[in-house]
Amino acid sequence: MKKIEKVCVIGGGQMGKQIALNAAIHGFKVKITDAIPAVCEALQPWVAEYLTGRIAKGKMAEGDCKAALEHFSVTSSLADAAADADLVVEAIIENKEVKERLFKDLNTLAPKDAIIGTNSSFMVSSIFADCLDNPARLANLHFFNPALVMKLVEVVQGPHTSEDTVQALMDFARRNGKTPIWVRKEAEGFVANRILRAVGTEAMYIAEQGIATPQEIDIAVENGLNYPLGPFRMQDFTGIDIAYDTRKREYEKTGVKPIGYDLLEEKVKRGEFGKKSGKGWYDYSK
Ligand SMILES: NC(=O)c1ccc[n+]([C@@H]2O[C@H](COP(=O)([O-])OP(=O)(O)OC[C@H]3O[C@@H](n4cnc5c(N)ncnc54)[C@H](O)[C@@H]3O)[C@@H](O)[C@H]2O)c1
């Protein structure tokens, strides 16, 4: 099994920066890159602010924070980020063509035996198998938001993925303080999000039918079922635009309008994407 020490994270957005910092905190040597220079420039200050906060709250010792800072580096060059990586984690925007281009670049820029994990929520890694000469090293490595906090990591084996790759990724996740599961077959939504989806669809249906408002449904789920977050509050966190895009793809594929489609479309048209835009099912502007 390949032992992972050097990690390259591609994409410095919501997920990538937290995956990268989590790995740096756990002693991995991390290089992170993003296509947008301003995103790259904001990464070191974000890390410094996060770590300072951890010290102030007594959650991390000063020495550990210093070590994490030393392990975390930013580069605007993909070639530089990937050159000596044992593992490349792809965490860029959820767009098939953009990801495809990246995997083709990685085929030449990353070491031939580097493991490649995609953090995509919805695209199984076999879609990208043809981009690599050796797809046995490719799998989904699916973190949950916020990646610094959430314990679950899904390692999803495609028909092309070797068991060695699965084991190396499971080991990497454990050494990141995570609890990984081995998902043995590719399936849309993997495991946890499928269950979440079923609950979310029912919640959307209840709202669509006017049985209760989204906020009342959250109250029911949080107080009656003891979920830490109701489905609508959760959607504000993960992005209403992402929930809409998934349903839009499904609608285009099947011709059947998914439950909740109109409600989500209305939100997206108003630019209410959830927490990241300041408003979703709840108002975060105050
Ligand atoms: N947000 C979530 O809750 C969540 C949870 C699990 C998995 N994911 C998955 O993680 C991935 C990233 O999601 P996110 O929420 O961090 O998105 P985000 O929009 O916050 O960040 C994506 C980043 O990728 C960068 N980028 C785009 N194209 C690039 C390229 N070719 N090279 C380098 N950088 C590029 C963008 O500049 C941006 O900073 C997606 O595949 C998503 O499905 C998201």
Side-chain angles (χ1 to χ4, degrees):
M1 183 186 76
K2 186 178 172 71
K3 184 111 178 171
I4 294 164
E5 300 299 345
K6 288 181 241 161
V7 181
C8 158
V9 177
I10 306 172
Q14 215 179 145
M15 293 302 292
K17 66 182 178 187
Q18 295 213 16
I19 294 169
L21 178 53
N22 191 71
I25 289 171
H26 287 84
F28 293 90
K29 220 164 165 261
V30 181
K31 278 188 194 168
I32 182 168
T33 187
D34 196 282
I36 300 177
V39 172
C40 288
E41 278 158 30
L43 285 166
Q44 289 286 13
W46 173 79
V47 167
E49 194 187 326
Y50 175 84
L51 293 174
T52 307
R54 298 302 280 171
I55 297 170
K57 286 182 191 153
K59 302 272 187 194
M60 270 180 87
E62 219 167 317
D64 293 340
C65 287
K66 198 165 165 267
L69 262 175
E70 278 164 12
H71 281 120
F72 185 97
S73 65
V74 184
T75 169
S76 55
S77 149
L78 176 63
D80 177 25
D84 61 350
D86 300 317
L87 166 68
V88 178
V89 181
E90 175 275 310
I92 69 168
I93 46 163
E94 192 73 350
N95 176 300
K96 184 168 174 264
E97 288 70 39
V98 180
K99 285 194 197 276
E100 243 164 29
R101 223 171 304 134
L102 174 64
F103 286 119
K104 282 182 187 156
D105 285 345
L106 286 172
N107 190 44
T108 53
L109 295 176
K112 287 287 167 209
D113 64 342
I115 290 176
I116 299 183
T118 168
N119 185 50
S120 172
S121 302
F122 301 105
M123 294 178 208
V124 292
S125 75
S126 55
I127 301 177
F128 307 111
D130 287 347
C131 302
L132 300 174
D133 295 334
N134 168 22
R137 61 192 175 125
L138 173 69
N140 286 82
L141 180 68
H142 186 225
F143 286 81
F144 287 74
N145 192 6
L148 276 159
V149 178
M150 299 300 282
K151 289 280 181 211
L152 181 63
V153 173
E154 293 171 331
V155 177
V156 186
Q157 184 175 22
H160 53 281
T161 313
S162 71
E163 207 170 310
D164 219 51
T165 296
V166 171
Q167 295 310 337
L169 289 173
M170 297 283 287
D171 179 63
F172 170 72
R174 284 190 200 101
R175 287 161 61 217
N176 265 274
K178 303 297 183 196
T179 307
I181 62 161
W182 177 3
V183 182
R184 288 146 206 266
K185 280 184 189 172
E186 288 186 336
E188 168 128 8
F190 314 134
V191 174
N193 279 344
R194 281 176 84 112
I195 293 166
L196 186 68
R197 179 86 194 264
V199 173
T201 302
E202 192 59 27
M204 279 285 172
Y205 185 66
I206 295 170
E208 217 169 51
Q209 296 283 303
I211 296 167
T213 65
Q215 297 74 21
E216 285 159 349
I217 296 165
D218 278 353
I219 292 172
V221 172
E222 289 164 13
N223 294 276
L225 304 177
N226 252 5
Y227 280 34
L229 294 178
F232 292 97
R233 212 184 291 280
M234 171 76 99
Q235 209 169 63
D236 267 3
F237 199 59
T238 52
I240 291 175
D241 51 334
I242 292 176
Y244 173 68
D245 284 348
T246 318
R247 283 165 184 78
K248 194 163 173 239
R249 273 202 305 274
E250 194 183 315
Y251 192 9
E252 282 161 5
K253 210 161 99 187
T254 63
V256 181
K257 196 186 267 189
I259 291 169
Y261 186 87
D262 290 337
L263 280 180
L264 291 168
E265 189 173 59
E266 210 181 296
K267 287 296 215 189
V268 169
K269 276 188 180 156
R270 280 202 222 121
E272 295 174 5
F273 300 149
K275 222 167 173 183
K276 62 182 163 191
S277 71
K279 195 167 181 203
W281 301 108
Y282 297 85
D283 193 347
Y284 303 93
S285 58
K286 291 155 208 153

